[in-house]
Amino acid sequence: MGWRTIGLMVENRSASEVLLALPGNPSPTGETRVGDEALSMSLDTDYALAEVGGWTVVSDPKVAVACDSDACGSLSASGGRVLTFIMDTSTTTYAFFWYVDGRHVRTAAYVEGEPAELVGEPLAEEAELPERWSEDFVPEIAHRLTGAWNENLFETSFALHRTAT
């Protein structure tokens, strides 16, 4: 089957704070999904949020905020950090975007193991990562940068949210 996911991880901001910054004025549906279901682009909702280890994790299956550099920069302002991640095993596309204290620090995006976009200097955490075409690439860099991408993430309950239409 494979992974298809896009989302972001926001440090030191509660889910309610992050929700206020998301486009579309999202409201809770009252439903939840476990992490491996919530972190899927086939999820039929606008966002799914959970708090894990000091990070708010946002599944963004409709790609409303994860690729918005201004929004991610704003969420990382005032000493925060934001990691945006993309994993698509069907197209062998893996990427991460790293924001620190309101600044876009690093982008590393690969398609079939070849660089598609590289911005900023490589991070120390990028040393000796799994191959760029490996489905372990994004989880490993996310774990190194946040510590929150671990087995608990996939067992965590994510609250589903829909935007006003």
Side-chain angles (χ1 to χ4, degrees):
M1 181 175 128
W3 269 92
R4 290 192 73 228
T5 186
I6 186 166
L8 57 151
M9 303 174 81
V10 182
E11 181 184 41
N12 296 328
R13 302 252 193 288
S14 69
S16 53
E17 289 176 291
V18 172
L19 273 170
L20 290 173
L22 296 177
N25 193 24
S27 299
T29 67
E31 298 175 77
T32 61
R33 294 289 184 279
V34 70
D36 62 345
E37 294 174 36
L39 292 168
S40 169
M41 287 187 72
S42 63
L43 185 68
D44 185 27
T45 193
D46 296 301
Y47 303 105
L49 282 84
E51 294 180 20
V52 179
W55 294 78
T56 295
V57 182
V58 181
S59 177
D60 185 15
K62 295 190 179 171
V63 195
V65 70
C67 293
D68 183 336
S69 189
D70 290 338
C72 291
S74 179
L75 283 166
S76 73
S78 303
R81 299 181 298 170
V82 169
L83 174 70
T84 295
F85 54 88
I86 299 171
M87 289 178 55
D88 187 342
T89 58
S90 64
T91 63
T92 322
T93 300
Y94 304 103
F96 74 91
F97 306 79
W98 185 236
Y99 299 83
V100 176
D101 200 18
R103 293 180 306 108
H104 177 203
V105 175
R106 176 74 169 147
T107 293
Y110 302 94
V111 177
E112 296 185 0
E114 296 299 319
E117 182 178 6
L118 299 173
V119 175
E121 294 298 316
L123 305 172
E125 292 84 355
E126 290 180 70
E128 299 181 30
L129 281 171
E131 297 296 339
R132 300 175 300 235
W133 58 83
S134 165
E135 64 185 51
D136 296 328
F137 174 77
V138 168
E140 182 60 27
I141 191 68
H143 175 72
R144 290 180 186 188
L145 291 171
T146 71
W149 190 296
N150 56 42
E151 64 278 353
N152 295 336
L153 180 63
F154 301 101
E155 298 169 2
T156 299
S157 180
F158 282 69
L160 305 186
H161 293 76
R162 290 207 185 278
T163 59
T165 54

